[in-house]
Structure formats: structure tokens, C-alpha cells
Amino acid sequence: MMRRIELKPTEPFRKELIDRTGAFDARALKAATDIVADVRERGDDALRELTQRFDGVSIEAFALPKSALDAAMDQVDEETLEALRHAAAQIRDFHERQVTQSWLFAREDGAIVGAKVTPLDSVGIYVPGGRALYPSTVLMNAIPASVAGVERIACVTPPQHDGTVDAAILAACKLAGVTEVYTVGGAQAVAALAYGTQSIRPVDKITGPGNAYVAAAKKVVSGDVGIDMIAGPSEVCVVADSSADPSLVAIDLMAQAEHDPMAACYLVCPSGAYADEVEHAVEEHLAHSPRADITRASLEDHGLIVIVDDVDQAMQAVDVIAPEHLELHMRDAMDHLGQIRNAGAIFLGPWTPEAVGDYVAGPNHTLPTGGTARFASPLSVDEFVKKSSIIQYSARALMNDSKSVMAIAMHEGLWAHAQSVALRMQAASEEAERAPVGAGWGATINEGGERAHG
């Protein structure tokens, strides 16, 4: 079923052995570019036509009233609502631990340097529709934004066939602090968030996953508006030793494969015989899966089994794959954590299926895909704030640094840079003697980080 590669002892796993698809293809990029341009030009009229064309739904007013979020709390069954509350509480607790504060540091010569942390004014969250509904995506994107202090959180999501939005998605919006919901999806929704229409105000940043056209649209608007990442198909890599239950390994691979026929699944294991056991278990599970066709397509087209000689070879393969999700079905899995450099989220031991990370564990499930875990991180509170550097010099501090500043400026051929220091140096000695340490013209920042005027 899955493609196999058997590595010789000490043979390194190479990137060329991975058959990865990108986040989108040239066709998706061309289509998204045209859609973005259309929405920028025609606004809501373009949204209505595109929603009719792609979703088969006629929408007159895209904004849902806030009362719809309140009503959804009564429309969702109690078991699902309680699960969403439980998930929201643990996601919020995790992300509150990520919050960073503004800070200042005063040097002995009177210079003050630091950083001012400011929440973004507004963010837009894309919540996919289509093959499945994702209230968990609302929680994972809106809660860190809310924790960061973002005041305006707008959610866009494709309409269902009857033009409504799933009640669980709306309930998640209510629990997570979403302030606006719009019934629109696809590349056109990304364009509306980026540039605004008659009924949708633009935002500062767009987060959340989507299909190839949504990913392409995020690339098109990036730079005019912030984005979290350009996410490709979902991925899992399971590293299993001989102690791992083949049935559990099989179902964990399938849990990723059932997302999308393009999802990529990797199994790193010690023998061909073990791989046979896992594939046999997959066939047994598929007989009961309502998403068997999607799952099988993913495993057959984008599945890979890597048979390794030892743990070191397995970990080297993991770092080359740099998976979105990594499961270690191994004895003493925690002992191997230090060997891993590249992974979006790491799940340790047989009792930690990737599904807990998708929903309730607390860490964010918006993760780097397509090998970008080599340089990218999960969505976090930091995505929803911006940091401004703070610099205030005293005359004495400027005297201390003046020679270095002027030397570098002159080396770079920037005369005015050097002169901006040299002119101040004419009065620096006198100023240094007269002014108290930390004093200076203009605004300063007091111990609480608030702005005060000197």
C-alpha cells in the first residue's frame, strides 16, 4: 500500500527520497491572483458571485449578527459543547504561558534600551469547510489572539449548502472571543480580509489553514497584510520500535490520512516484517472507516515507509522529513527528545495520539508543514503581537558610542549618519556633566512601562 525504502546500515536518509507536493500549484496561484484582484475591484459584488460559483449558495449579507453566536450555544448538543469548553480552557491555559511583557534595560552610562510589546489591532481567522467542519480551528486561532490582547477578531468560513454556518463553529467563536463572523470562504475570503469590502473591514493579519487556493491567496496578499504561514497538506511521521502496537500505529497514520487525499504519512520502523503488520492493521481498520476512500488515497499516493537499522538512523530520517506531527511510539520516548531538531509538534509514547494535540492538549495545532519545521514554529501568542524597539540615550551614552557609530557610518559612505552624531558631540561634554543619568529630550518610559514626558 505505502511506498517503501529500506536503508542500509549507516546510510543517511536523503531529502530526494521524499515525494512532497507544495502548498499549491501554479494553477491555484493564477486563480487566486485573479480572485484577489476581482474582490479588490468589486468588493461584495465579487464575493456574492464567487460564493455562488464555488459554493453554490446565494448570500446577500455576509456578516452574521452577534445573536447568532449566542443562539449557537443552545443549538449544539451538550456533549460537544462541554468538549469545546474543556478544549478552550486548556488551550487558553497553555497560551497564557507564552505571553511576553514589554521590558527596559538601563546601562550604566544612562542609555535605556528595550522592547514594547503591542497587540495587533485586528486579525482575521480562516476556518475551512468542505470535507469536514473545524470548530477546533476557531479555538486554536482565536484563543491565542484573544490572550495576546487583540480587540477585533474576525472569522470567515464557507457557508453550508443551506447558506448557514455550523452551530459548533459559531459556539467555538463565542467561547474563543471572536467578535465578527462572515459567511464567505475560499481565496475570496482571504482577499476580503486583506483589502476590505463594503461589508468586511480589512484586518492586520490573517491566520488559519485552507485548501490550495486559500494558501495561494495568502501568498498573494502577504506583504499588504500579515499571514501566519502558507500551509500545505497535513503530515504525520510515526517512529515505531518493536515495542509499538502495530494496530495503534496504523490508526494513527490513518488519523492523518483521513484529512485529505493529499495528506502525507511517514512510518519509520525497524523491519519489513513490522511494516507488514502495520499495513495489515490498516486494512482491518479501513473496513470500518467512513472515510476509507480518502484515507486509502492518501496512504497509497503520499505514504512512505522508511525501514532503518537503528535509532540514530531513525532520528536522522526524522530531521530530514521535518514533519508537521511527529509521534514516537518507542520505549522511553522522552529519552530521545533531545535528538530531534525538526518537527512541528512532538507526541511522546503510546498514550499520546496526535488527536489530543488536534483538540484538547493545549499546544496549538496550526503547525509548519512541507518540511518548514526546519525553520518555522507552531502558531503562538507571538503571532498576534508586534514588538517595537526602545532606545533612549543620555549625552554620556552617546559620547561612549560616538566613535563606533561614526566609524561604521563613514565606512558605509553615509555622511549624514556620522554628522548626526558629530554635531551632538559639540555639546556632549557639557550636557553629560549637567544632565542626570537617564534624562533626555522627549519621551521616557517609567518603571511600569508607561509613556511619560520629560
Side-chain angles (χ1 to χ4, degrees):
M1 175 185 289
M2 297 171 69
R3 183 167 63 97
R4 291 194 189 190
I5 296 171
E6 185 165 359
L7 298 177
K8 298 175 182 178
T10 73
E11 178 187 1
F13 184 82
R14 294 175 288 108
K15 186 177 180 181
E16 294 74 20
L17 297 173
I18 306 173
D19 182 20
R20 261 194 176 116
T21 58
F24 49 84
D25 56 25
R27 184 182 64 176
L29 185 58
K30 173 64 168 63
T33 301
D34 292 343
I35 289 170
V36 169
D38 190 21
V39 173
R40 291 191 74 175
E41 181 179 351
R42 299 194 298 124
D44 283 351
D45 287 342
L47 293 184
R48 293 187 184 96
E49 290 181 16
L50 293 164
T51 301
Q52 180 68 59
R53 184 195 310 172
F54 296 125
D55 300 305
V57 178
S58 177
I59 300 287
E60 183 58 34
F62 295 100
L64 292 183
K66 291 184 178 180
S67 59
L69 276 63
D70 296 324
M73 301 293 283
D74 296 324
Q75 295 167 4
V76 178
D77 66 273
E78 190 57 38
E79 182 179 14
T80 301
L81 188 59
E82 184 54 37
L84 291 174
R85 286 195 178 106
H86 176 64
Q90 297 196 159
I91 294 167
R92 185 173 294 277
D93 177 72
F94 178 86
H95 287 85
E96 284 175 345
R97 300 172 192 274
Q98 297 179 329
V99 174
T100 57
Q101 304 293 331
S102 301
W103 60 273
L104 295 173
F105 171 74
R107 296 195 324 223
E108 290 183 0
D109 62 7
I112 297 174
V113 294
K116 181 179 185 296
V117 180
T118 307
L120 301 183
D121 291 334
S122 59
V123 299
I125 294 168
Y126 188 93
V127 178
R131 291 187 178 92
L133 300 169
Y134 297 102
S136 59
T137 296
V138 177
L139 301 181
M140 292 290 183
N141 283 265
I143 287 176
S146 175
V147 168
V150 178
E151 292 188 358
R152 179 178 166 238
I153 306 174
C155 171
V156 293
T157 190
Q160 299 183 99
H161 293 307
D162 61 359
T164 64
V165 174
D166 174 57
I169 287 178
L170 295 180
C173 287
K174 177 71 175 179
L175 292 170
V178 171
T179 57
E180 304 165 21
V181 179
Y182 299 97
T183 312
V184 61
Q188 60 270 29
V190 174
L193 289 174
Y195 302 111
T197 69
Q198 292 85 346
S199 62
I200 301 176
R201 287 186 292 150
V203 298
D204 296 322
K205 189 166 191 174
I206 301 170
T207 71
N211 62 19
Y213 297 92
V214 170
K218 287 171 74 175
K219 180 178 179 66
V220 172
V221 305
S222 177
D224 291 332
V225 66
I227 64 170
D228 52 349
M229 63 184 74
I230 300 173
S234 194
E235 307 169 325
V236 69
C237 177
V238 179
V239 179
D241 63 16
S242 58
S243 70
D245 183 338
S247 180
L248 293 181
V249 170
I251 200 66
D252 286 1
L253 291 168
M254 292 173 62
Q256 205 62 42
E258 72 175 352
H259 271 295
D260 189 324
M262 301 295 289
C265 299
Y266 305 91
L267 170 62
V268 180
C269 66
S271 70
Y274 183 86
D276 290 341
E277 291 185 60
V278 172
E279 290 204 315
H280 178 71
V282 167
E283 292 294 346
E284 290 185 336
H285 291 315
L286 279 172
H288 306 285
S289 170
R291 298 171 72 85
D293 290 345
I294 294 172
T295 304
R296 185 179 294 278
S298 167
L299 293 173
E300 290 183 350
D301 296 341
H302 303 287
L304 175 63
I305 296 173
V306 182
I307 299 170
V308 296
D309 186 60
D310 57 27
V311 171
D312 289 342
Q313 196 176 41
M315 295 305 163
Q316 185 270 332
V318 166
D319 276 349
V320 173
I321 295 169
E324 177 187 15
H325 306 93
L326 172 64
E327 291 191 8
L328 298 187
H329 283 244
M330 305 171 68
R331 300 181 190 90
D332 303 317
M334 183 67 77
D335 293 345
H336 301 288
L337 185 59
Q339 293 178 267
I340 299 162
R341 293 184 59 83
N342 303 326
I346 304 168
F347 301 79
L348 301 171
W351 299 104
T352 319
E354 184 263 326
V356 298
D358 273 352
Y359 300 126
V360 301
N364 210 282
H365 78 192
T366 303
L367 302 166
T369 63
T372 59
R374 301 184 331 275
F375 55 81
S377 305
L379 190 72
S380 70
V381 169
D382 281 346
E383 294 281 357
F384 300 100
V385 300
K386 55 189 177 181
K387 299 175 182 178
S388 304
S389 298
I390 301 169
I391 304 168
Q392 176 182 287
Y393 264 46
S394 66
R396 185 156 58 98
L398 187 59
M399 287 181 66
N400 288 346
D401 287 351
S402 61
K403 289 183 179 179
S404 296
V405 174
M406 289 189 288
I408 295 171
M410 294 306 292
H411 180 80
E412 294 184 351
L414 299 175
W415 175 85
H417 280 62
Q419 281 296 100
S420 70
V421 173
L423 291 177
R424 286 173 170 82
M425 287 300 90
Q426 295 177 12
S429 298
E430 179 183 349
E431 179 68 15
E433 294 176 0
R434 185 173 63 245
V437 171
W441 178 85
T444 62
I445 293 184
N446 60 30
E447 290 182 354
E450 298 175 348
R451 195 169 186 267
H453 293 280

